[in-house]
């Protein structure tokens, strides 16, 4: 059985570079029903590419997400000793970690207080209803968790912590994504931070726009194009009123 691209495909997630290799997390989806939303997540993999020629070296699958229901690979943070791998389960973010970029090696899972080698011990790292994809990054001596809020909210928020896996507080609302008031089918989702492209004008953030009706995309292909904004850093770096 050789499924077509309309029946089975991978969607890329976050990525990191280790030992001059690019490792890209990807989610495997299958079309299980008719229509635009008839797909289902079936598992996760990591694609490894050589640099700088981007030749595919291997594909590694892992079943931790199948075991505990966490959709891993939506965000990655590279610390000094670990790569932290984030995912979402029932609207809440979870985190695991690996050493030396070894995705095929032993994973550890944050259980709310400590790290466990058992996937089923994973607990949410914050009581935050966020979007499926999000960003974790560090600036100065603080870690930041940027997410568009859940239930397809247009609000983009950021939280801070002293570590990359717990203690997310000091919620700040950064932006509300605009929509065409004449088309009620549209929604925005999955805002991401791109700190590597930050400059004196601020933090670069992208977000997606989609429609609940497939026909809208044929009428206006511009709906699905990426949107980018810049947020002044003083909005989240300076001290301000906590809105938790």
């Amino acid at each position: 059985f050789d499924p077509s691209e309309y029946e089975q495909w991978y969607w890329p997630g976050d990525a990191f570079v280790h030992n001059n290799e690019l490792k890209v997390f990807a989610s495997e989806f299958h079309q299980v029903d008719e229509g635009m939303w008839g797909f289902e997540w079936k598992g996760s993999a990591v694609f490894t590419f050589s640099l700088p020629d981007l030749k595919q070296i291997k594909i590694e699958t892992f079943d931790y997400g199948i075991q505990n229901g966490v959709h891993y690979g939506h965000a990655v943070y590279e610390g000094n000793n670990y790569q932290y791998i984030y995912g979402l389960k029932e609207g809440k973010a979870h985190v695991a970690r690996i050493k030396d970029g070894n995705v095929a090696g032993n994973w550890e899972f944050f259980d709310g207080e400590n790290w466990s080698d058992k996937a089923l011990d994973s607990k949410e790292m914050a009581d935050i209803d966020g979007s499926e994809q999000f960003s974790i990054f560090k600036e100065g001596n603080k870690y930041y968790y940027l997410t568009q809020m859940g239930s397809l909210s247009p609000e983009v928020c950021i939280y801070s912590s002293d570590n990359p896996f717990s203690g997310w507080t000091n919620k700040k609302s950064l932006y509300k994504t605009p929509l065409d008031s004449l088309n009620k089918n549209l929604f925005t989702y999955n805002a991401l931070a791109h700190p590597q492209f930050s400059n004196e004008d601020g933090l670069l953030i992208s977000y997606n726009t989609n429609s609940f009706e497939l026909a809208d995309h044929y009428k206006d292909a511009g709906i699905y194009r990426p949107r980018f904004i810049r947020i002044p850093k003083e909005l989240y770096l300076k001290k301000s009123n906590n809105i938790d």
Side-chain angles (χ1 to χ4, degrees), residues 25-208:
F25 285 88
S27 299
E28 181 182 347
F29 286 91
H30 293 194
Q31 192 75 19
V32 296
D33 202 353
E34 296 181 355
M36 180 177 176
W37 307 105
F39 56 83
E40 186 175 272
W41 172 57
K42 291 292 187 178
S44 300
V46 175
F47 286 67
T48 299
F49 300 89
S50 59
L51 293 174
D53 53 2
L54 289 178
K55 290 184 178 179
Q56 183 177 303
I57 298 174
K58 59 185 175 181
I59 302 174
E60 299 168 282
T61 59
F62 56 92
D63 64 357
Y64 298 120
I66 301 301
Q67 293 178 36
N68 62 17
V70 180
H71 192 166
Y72 289 107
H74 290 323
V76 176
Y77 173 73
E78 291 190 79
N80 293 328
N81 299 312
Y82 296 95
Q83 287 81 31
Y84 294 88
I85 303 162
Y86 302 84
L88 212 72
K89 177 182 179 181
E90 299 174 351
K92 309 290 188 182
H94 289 237
V95 58
R97 67 184 186 183
I98 59 175
K99 274 191 173 183
D100 300 322
N102 186 11
V103 177
N106 296 323
W107 287 38
E108 293 182 323
F109 305 87
F110 185 61
D111 66 6
E113 294 182 0
N114 298 300
W115 295 93
S116 169
D117 60 1
K118 297 179 177 60
L120 291 177
D121 287 341
S122 181
K123 298 290 189 300
E124 61 193 49
M125 71 170 190
D127 186 18
I128 297 169
D129 290 311
S131 55
E132 190 74 11
Q133 291 182 281
F134 51 92
S135 295
I136 307 292
F137 63 97
K138 187 178 184 182
E139 190 149 352
N141 61 355
K142 286 286 186 181
Y143 297 87
Y144 293 93
Y145 168 20
L146 182 138
T147 182
Q148 197 158 337
M149 304 312 292
S151 302
L152 300 180
S153 167
E155 188 176 20
V156 180
C157 290
I158 197 166
Y159 300 79
S160 61
S161 176
D162 292 329
N163 66 66
F165 52 83
S166 66
W168 300 105
T169 59
N170 199 25
K171 177 183 177 183
K172 296 182 177 68
S173 180
L174 299 182
Y175 187 73
K176 288 190 176 180
T177 57
L179 286 171
D180 184 347
S181 61
L182 298 179
N183 189 342
K184 302 303 182 182
N185 297 326
L186 302 186
F187 61 94
T188 62
Y189 60 109
N190 286 351
L192 295 175
H194 305 277
Q196 67 271 40
F197 298 117
S198 293
N199 58 27
E200 63 276 5
D201 294 323
L203 173 69
L204 185 67
I205 295 174
S206 64
Y207 65 92
N208 302 326

